[in-house]
Amino acid sequence: MNIIERKVWLITGVSKGLGRELAKQVADKGDIVVGTVRNAQDKADFEKILGAKAFIIDLSNTEQISSLVDAIINQYGQIDVLVNNAGYGAFGMIEEFSENEIIHQFKVNVIAVWKLCQAVLPHMREKGGGTIIQISSRVGILAGVGNGIYASSKFALEGMRESLKQEVEPFGIKVMLAELGALRTDFFGTSVKYAENKLPLYFDTAGDIRSNTKSLHGKQSGDPVKVAEAIIEAVDKDVPTFRLPLTTGTIDAMKTKIAEYQNLIDLYEHKARNVEFF
Ligand SMILES: NC(=O)c1ccc[n+]([C@@H]2O[C@H](COP(=O)([O-])OP(=O)(O)OC[C@H]3O[C@@H](n4cnc5c(N)ncnc54)[C@H](OP(=O)(O)O)[C@@H]3O)[C@@H](O)[C@H]2O)c1
């Protein structure tokens, strides 16, 4: 494959999990991978194993993002595919969270994604196209007890993608959202963050969200290898969908949401159409 045919992929969060698997598969198929990690050890490890370059950034430092993208463009000349993969789940009851915990969740899962998009778009526009992939979740479709803050960060990505797709499509830039159910990664291992303020009164109603989620670690049914394959296939085959639902949990969440909306339409359509000026 000559250099012109090789796409340059910027994938955030390649130290482990889905990002690492995606980076491995992209490198194996001959494209160029540039990743982000948070420390020197992960950088050395990634570069040694994949023979690809990693940049160090903690994405909660959102002010560093535009210079990161500038450095990558200086070195590689282009970014063809941006995968906004890095992220974590902040779990706990809505009432338990502090403002700082919520701000951090949104900085990493939403603001950093927006800043990365903002930084790559001028370069993609200049070269006449590109693909942006946002890694969302089934909880970006249907939230549940104890995941409301994480879910609202993924709901934010869903809204951002819907607008961004329409705004940048005329420039040949595609925006895709991968909606994933539970994957067997480190998500519920060392990555998950729980609200520090624990309100035991919720144990009787919602159960213990901390031990319930921890007990899922290593037992999730979603395979990150197959998910990475499906994402790469969607980019390479230029699939006509801009939402990529993957895992059984995502399809089930979609079906529940459709039923919920249908029920609301049945109940409220008449009323809804009668609150307008005639
Ligand atoms: N696993 C699931 O069940 C699931 C389901 C739906 C969606 N997702 C989404 O899939 C994406 C990947 O998660 P995963 O399952 O692969 O989890 P993971 O194994 O925990 O990997 C998360 C990656 O994000 C990086 N990251 C976290 N916080 C960061 C920060 N502040 N700055 C820079 N990098 C940061 C981590 O780096 P460190 O190693 O430095 O922590 C790691 O590389 C996330 O967006 C997640 O929300 C996961």
Side-chain angles (χ1 to χ4, degrees), residues 2-277:
N2 73 40
I3 187 80
I4 305 295
E5 290 165 339
R6 296 175 78 195
K7 288 189 179 114
V8 178
W9 292 58
L10 168 57
I11 304 173
T12 61
V14 294
S15 63
K16 58 189 178 185
L18 177 64
R20 167 60 74 95
E21 182 55 37
L22 201 51
K24 181 183 167 298
Q25 290 187 26
V26 168
D28 284 351
K29 82 185 187 76
D31 278 349
I32 296 165
V33 184
V34 185
T36 73
V37 292
R38 280 200 282 182
N39 59 59
Q41 182 57 53
D42 284 343
K43 174 178 162 66
D45 180 50
F46 178 79
E47 293 184 344
K48 187 169 166 223
I49 293 171
L50 271 87
K53 171 104 177 154
F55 287 76
I56 297 177
I57 184 169
D58 185 316
L59 289 165
S60 63
N61 299 320
T62 52
E63 72 288 349
Q64 296 174 5
I65 288 174
S66 59
S67 47
L68 166 84
V69 170
D70 287 348
I72 295 168
I73 294 287
N74 277 340
Q75 202 165 330
Y76 296 90
Q78 64 197 64
I79 294 170
D80 300 289
V81 185
L82 164 66
V83 186
N84 279 309
N85 165 76
Y88 73 94
F91 282 72
M93 302 302 137
I94 301 282
E95 190 184 348
E96 292 175 328
F97 279 97
S98 69
E99 190 171 336
N100 280 342
E101 287 169 329
I102 295 176
I103 288 171
H104 192 269
Q105 174 76 110
F106 272 76
K107 271 199 156 181
V108 176
N109 286 16
V110 183
I111 308 290
V113 169
W114 159 68
K115 279 220 130 179
L116 277 151
C117 292
Q118 198 178 46
V120 301
L121 282 169
H123 302 288
M124 288 186 171
R125 216 169 12 242
E126 200 180 319
K127 72 175 194 59
T131 303
I132 296 174
I133 300 171
Q134 321 286 43
I135 303 295
S136 185
S137 166
R138 71 179 286 279
V139 306
I141 300 166
L142 190 70
V145 166
N147 62 30
I149 296 303
Y150 174 58
S152 38
S153 76
K154 295 300 188 184
F155 267 71
L157 288 190
E158 300 268 336
M160 198 193 298
R161 182 219 66 101
E162 276 181 14
S163 294
L164 189 62
K165 170 193 179 298
Q166 297 168 61
E167 290 164 5
V168 301
E169 219 168 25
F171 304 110
I173 300 166
K174 303 197 171 92
V175 188
M176 186 188 286
L177 191 80
E179 293 166 320
L180 317 175
L183 302 188
R184 205 169 297 172
T185 63
D186 199 33
F187 187 81
F188 282 129
T190 58
S191 300
V192 62
K193 285 192 197 325
Y194 296 107
E196 265 184 41
N197 175 32
K198 199 191 276 189
L199 296 176
L201 64 95
Y202 280 105
F203 284 16
D204 291 339
T205 53
D208 182 354
I209 185 73
R210 291 160 182 80
S211 63
N212 290 347
T213 48
K214 274 285 172 201
S215 68
L216 288 176
H217 181 54
K219 301 192 188 87
Q220 299 97 324
S221 56
D223 181 348
V225 174
K226 292 179 185 162
V227 167
E229 283 167 6
I231 292 171
I232 291 171
E233 185 186 53
V235 173
D236 283 351
K237 292 206 174 141
D238 226 359
V239 293
T241 175
F242 286 89
R243 270 205 160 86
L244 189 63
L246 296 168
T247 76
T248 305
T250 301
I251 295 297
D252 291 346
M254 285 176 157
K255 287 185 173 175
T256 305
K257 198 78 185 199
I258 290 168
E260 202 179 296
Y261 276 134
Q262 191 56 56
N263 192 32
L264 282 173
I265 291 168
D266 294 345
L267 279 172
Y268 284 103
E269 184 168 8
H270 181 71
K271 174 76 84 190
R273 292 191 188 281
N274 276 288
V275 295
E276 298 179 0
F277 290 108

